[in-house]
Amino acid sequence: MESLKQRVLKDGRILDGNILKVDSFINHQIDPRLAFDIGKEFYNRFKNAEIDKILTIETSGIAFAVCAGYHFNVPVVFAKKRAGLNMSSEVYQSKVYSYTKQTCYTISVSRQFLSPGENLLIIDDFLANGQAVSGMIDIAKQAGAKIAGAGIVIEKSFQPGGEILRSLGIRVESLVIIDSLKNNKIIIREALEK
Ligand code: 5GP
């Protein structure tokens, strides 16, 4: 997705620990037109997959999942990182290790919002070690739902998440793939535009 690539190159900043800071258009301030186009691109890539529902994780996945959900015309469910007072009998839960925060947390989805047999598209802002997406897959499985694939805004190919998920047979569609953040330079994989 050329517009997203250009934006990453223009406004992305590299932090220690192979973290790409994209606060000015993805993680803090959000560019609605770009988000809408990202949603449309996810739709184009998965439009033949008969998606029933989108599953994402708070906070940064929500904007892109909603934009995709608009194009698919399906509901969007986000996994919560704070379970509140919900009883575990009312929620599906999974443990996720956060790469950026270096802590473990529990994600929860109310049982009423996922049903057996539903075909889910998982969406997230970044794919690094694959923990967040794996947690969502775990929750989808607990619900008896099917996984059509994962739509990722930015994949860092030098971390193992993409390989792990693809080796499990998950269809992963990443709109931008970053091959390296070494030497303070963002190297984006060139791909033929669809
Ligand atoms: P994973 O679970 O695949 O290891 O990491 C994905 C999650 O960590 C994403 O939901 C995202 O919030 C965060 N993350 C991982 N790497 C980066 C990064 O380079 N930049 C930003 N902004 N977030 C990241």
Side-chain angles (χ1 to χ4, degrees):
M1 190 181 163
E2 194 54 38
S3 56
L4 179 61
K5 279 187 199 166
Q6 294 308 327
R7 192 65 181 270
V8 167
L9 289 173
K10 182 164 137 308
D11 292 333
R13 298 286 173 268
I14 299 167
L15 303 183
D16 286 347
N18 278 324
I19 304 266
L20 182 68
K21 189 174 161 83
V22 283
D23 275 22
S24 62
F25 61 104
I26 287 183
N27 291 129
H28 195 1
Q29 176 172 265
I30 297 170
D31 179 336
R33 281 181 188 269
L34 182 64
F36 190 82
D37 289 346
I38 286 170
K40 197 169 177 186
E41 182 67 24
F42 284 138
Y43 173 74
N44 285 335
R45 294 190 187 206
F46 286 98
K47 64 181 170 215
N48 297 323
E50 296 183 15
I51 304 299
D52 295 315
K53 203 169 265 184
I54 294 175
L55 177 62
T56 188
I57 185 166
E58 67 177 356
T59 308
S60 296
I62 296 175
F64 307 103
V66 168
C67 290
Y70 174 85
H71 292 285
F72 284 100
N73 195 22
V74 300
V76 175
V77 178
F78 63 92
K80 295 192 176 201
K81 291 178 179 168
R82 287 162 292 273
L85 295 173
N86 282 344
M87 306 281 288
S88 61
S89 61
E90 296 169 357
V91 292
Y92 300 111
Q93 294 189 312
S94 189
K95 278 213 173 350
V96 170
Y97 178 78
S98 165
Y99 175 76
T100 44
K101 299 193 175 72
Q102 306 209 334
T103 52
C104 231
Y105 58 92
T106 300
I107 58 170
S108 312
V109 175
S110 174
R111 285 176 186 246
Q112 67 175 300
F113 298 127
L114 293 179
S115 306
E118 271 179 341
N119 200 27
L120 303 182
L121 172 61
I122 290 173
I123 284 186
D124 204 8
D125 60 339
F126 271 88
L127 177 59
N129 293 308
Q131 287 277 313
V133 173
S134 297
M136 287 189 271
I137 291 173
D138 181 24
I139 280 181
K141 284 189 175 154
Q142 292 176 44
K146 293 178 283 179
I147 297 142
I152 303 293
V153 181
I154 300 175
E155 174 179 348
K156 295 186 290 182
S157 67
F158 52 88
Q159 290 176 297
E163 211 178 305
I164 292 168
L165 296 175
R166 290 182 181 99
S167 73
L168 293 172
I170 305 287
R171 177 179 170 198
V172 180
E173 292 281 346
S174 301
L175 306 190
V176 163
I177 298 180
I178 296 186
D179 283 332
S180 168
L181 292 175
K182 277 186 198 150
N183 304 322
N184 209 31
K185 206 167 155 40
I186 302 169
I187 305 292
I188 290 181
R189 183 173 304 177
E190 289 304 325
L192 289 174
E193 290 301 319
K194 295 194 178 174

